[in-house]
Amino acid sequence: MNFSKRLLKLAGDYPDREIIHFLKTGESDQHLTYRALIEGAGRYQAALRSRNVLQGEVVILILQQSIELVYAYFGTILNGSIPSIMPFLTEKLLPEKYRKDLVSLIEITQPSAILTYCDFIDELSEIQANNAFIKALLFSEEIETGADVLAGTGNYPGIERDGDDIVLLQHSSGSTGLQKGVALTHQAVFHQLDCYSKTIRLSSRDVIVSWLPLYHDMGLIACFLMPILYNIPLVIMSPFDWVRAPHRLFQAISHYRGTLCWLPNFAYNFCAQKIRPADMEGIELSTLRAVINCSEPMRRSSHQAFLERFSQYGLQPSAIATCYAMAENVFAVTQDGIDKAVTYDEIDQETFQKDKIARKVFNNRPSIYQVSAGKPIANTQVRIMDGDGRELPDRHVGEIVIKSNCMLTGYYHREDETVNSFSEGWFKTGDLGYLAEGELYVSGRKKDLIIVGGKNVYPQDIEAVVNEVEGVHPGRCVAFGVFNEEKGTEDVVVIAELERDFAEKDRQVADQIRKMVTQSTAVALRQVYLVNDFWLIKTSSGKIARAANKEKYLFETGHHAG
Amino acid sequence: MDKNEIIEKLGKKICEDILKDTGRILAPDEVLISSGLIDSFSLVDLALIAEQMFGVRIEDYELNADTFDNLEQLAEIIVERKG
């Protein structure tokens, strides 16, 4: 089976089925049938074919979350080419930095085509001139009206793709993330979704509602490909609109009788704190059977705040669910909260922090709650390993490793990264956690990664920007995340050593750091901590030690937990 | 309440609640949104602050740098809507 065959079969069987409802602020909802989806996608496929973009070649999509992006995505699939969505340039991002990220994506991925808006023609033409493998620049505005529309014949090369051909690439954002495209086959995606849809008891009564970006695995796999390829209505809006009006998610759930929704942890807090009661009038949430927390560290307090705020609108406590997922396994690794309530494991705080063992609370000692991510889905095995690759017993914290029939083929054109990620057939996730009674608890990260608002951010990308700021001692800065309970996500902190002449101008340097980091990475810093020479701790090899400096910072600023 | 008073009150509240930096003073023309000083997750807070302090509603589709990008412009909207 491949994506094109599945999509065309659904379009043949249910041509008038409204499969996508696209919501946009200030416009009426757009309803897309399978027939309309194929027609729209067919125009993009024809455009790609007319430019000699072939099967197995990569097409980079730089479009806002819109119907056009949906068409472009499936048009690329129908052409047998490999879509890869690049996050869209926002007003905050510096065009130069965005361009640099795009070039790094292009150099590794070597796409045959880039599909975007006419606004980018000058910049992309220049990039194309330096990269001969780019055969075609296509512009969304020209596709609907151009002669390409007439060229579509319905003979889609995508039908010929094998199950073990690569169907799509998925990237995290930032220079580092864009260089590691997770390559997935048709078969891997179907293995995952066949298994995951059973795990969550997906049925024809379901309606999925989402504001998640399509360049993220949770948005792309659970809230885009699964509904469309499994004939489940999808109600989708842009993250840009949602973040300005979070109540629109609930309006959509209420109006379309949504049953399933995936959210990163911060969104539970964000929705609970930032929606006016007046905007919730008349909203009914009793149809929701699962609100699945996924993609960043999960907190019991976030679930509680969400339930407290929304149970008055009919939200059921049983709707709270959790999931541990990663693009490298297509999506889900574990799932909880579907057939039973989510488990909260109350453990002894001291034993956990000092000995890395999750011992059940005893003698009324200080305890903490860990949120279960549930049992592994049927096709995925999970183990916990120590630093020497030995399997650890239950309740011992170590690195989470996984094995499944839906793993990535590799990081695209990065054989080195792919090889480093596996150990004896097990994929090393870089996440830390423990198993107890068959359920997985994710407790931290081994890898240097910050997750803010559900988005992966590599600290080295932030540090590279800070290093360029005048007044910062080059090479003497560090970025890391500190969990913020109120927001339910990580705050990003930068520590930078000031050059001596700049001691008096520290406010200006701090402002400049904030500004440059936001414009380069779209991350807002919670704190810029400026220090004098030799504050930062280095490793024996002379590198800035992120974890040690974070500890030192937490201690100095009085955040230290234990 | 005149515009300058609104600017002062808004600035103080934004520094306290959004930037979490009470020692800071925001200049009336300091760029807030397109500079990234106020990130997208805090745009809703701006609307809620304007509503709570001055009883003026800023709609979600107005929460972008085209509508206002500094305290002065935001205060103008508030003065205008208070009538």
Side-chain angles (χ1 to χ4, degrees), chain A residues 274-463:
Chain A
K274 303 198 181 189
I275 296 179
R276 302 172 181 91
D279 289 335
M280 288 296 291
E281 267 171 33
I283 283 178
E284 169 63 50
L285 302 177
S286 59
T287 53
L288 268 179
R289 68 177 182 89
V291 184
I292 301 169
N293 189 345
C294 184
S295 93
E296 65 179 341
M298 303 182 286
R299 285 296 200 272
R300 181 173 172 259
S301 57
S302 301
H303 292 165
Q304 287 169 332
F306 193 77
L307 280 173
E308 258 168 47
R309 176 74 182 85
F310 298 111
S311 56
Q312 60 185 302
Y313 305 101
L315 178 72
Q316 299 300 310
S318 60
I320 297 292
T322 58
C323 174
Y324 171 60
M326 66 193 64
E328 286 86 350
N329 199 43
V330 180
F331 182 61
V333 173
T334 65
Q335 174 73 42
D336 200 12
I338 299 296
D339 297 324
K340 68 167 195 49
V342 170
T343 312
Y344 299 102
D345 194 28
E346 191 181 4
I347 57 174
D348 184 69
Q349 185 174 19
E350 193 182 335
T351 322
F352 188 66
Q353 281 166 353
K354 287 199 173 146
D355 307 328
K356 308 293 172 208
I357 294 171
R359 193 171 167 194
K360 281 269 185 202
V361 65
F362 59 101
N363 296 346
N364 291 321
R365 281 158 51 94
S367 66
I368 48 171
Y369 282 97
Q370 292 287 333
V371 179
S372 173
K375 293 196 162 86
I377 64 171
N379 71 343
T380 302
Q381 292 170 266
V382 173
R383 281 186 186 169
I384 305 297
M385 296 285 189
D386 70 7
D388 301 320
R390 282 186 301 253
E391 190 174 356
L392 286 166
D394 261 20
R395 295 197 166 274
H396 286 244
V397 175
E399 184 173 8
I400 301 167
V401 301
I402 66 171
K403 193 187 254 188
S404 77
N405 66 354
C406 58
M407 297 291 327
L408 75 166
T409 303
Y411 295 109
Y412 200 65
H413 294 170
R414 291 299 301 272
E415 190 56 30
D416 52 337
E417 290 279 358
T418 311
V419 170
N420 287 339
S421 300
F422 283 89
S423 173
E424 295 173 15
W426 291 82
F427 177 76
K428 297 180 284 181
T429 65
D431 290 321
L432 299 173
Y434 64 92
L435 284 162
E437 288 92 48
E439 295 186 22
L440 179 68
Y441 296 83
V442 184
S443 59
R445 279 185 298 280
K446 192 178 158 190
K447 61 196 171 197
D448 281 325
L449 182 70
I450 305 166
I451 308 183
V452 44
K455 191 173 113 172
N456 291 353
V457 179
Y458 289 88
Q460 51 269 39
D461 290 347
I462 296 174
E463 290 158 7

Side-chain angles (χ1 to χ4, degrees), chain B residues 56-72:
Chain B
V56 163
R57 176 143 180 157
I58 313 279
E59 297 295 341
D60 54 83
Y61 51 81
E62 296 177 308
L63 292 172
N64 57 64
D66 294 338
T67 315
F68 64 90
D69 206 6
N70 59 39
L71 286 176
E72 173 121 36

Side-chain angles (χ1 to χ4, degrees), chain A residues 25 91-92 241-248 266 270 273-276 278-279 452-453 486 507 511 514-515 518-519 524 526, chain B residues 19-21 23-24 30 33-45 47-48 51 57-58 60-61 63-66:
Chain A
T25 298
E91 61 184 3
K92 274 189 314 199
D241 285 347
W242 174 80
V243 79
R244 287 162 174 76
H247 66 278
R248 289 188 196 278
F266 88 91
F270 189 81
Q273 291 159 3
K274 303 198 181 189
I275 296 179
R276 302 172 181 91
D279 289 335
V452 44
E486 189 198 339
R507 173 69 77 174
D511 277 356
R514 281 177 190 274
K515 191 172 149 200
T518 306
Q519 294 186 339
R526 169 64 191 269
Chain B
L19 304 177
K20 312 274 181 195
D21 188 356
R24 187 183 182 114
E30 195 164 345
I33 298 177
S34 58
S35 65
L37 188 62
I38 293 187
D39 70 6
S40 57
F41 297 120
S42 299
L43 289 173
V44 172
D45 294 316
L48 294 176
E51 198 166 316
R57 176 143 180 157
I58 313 279
D60 54 83
Y61 51 81
L63 292 172
N64 57 64
D66 294 338

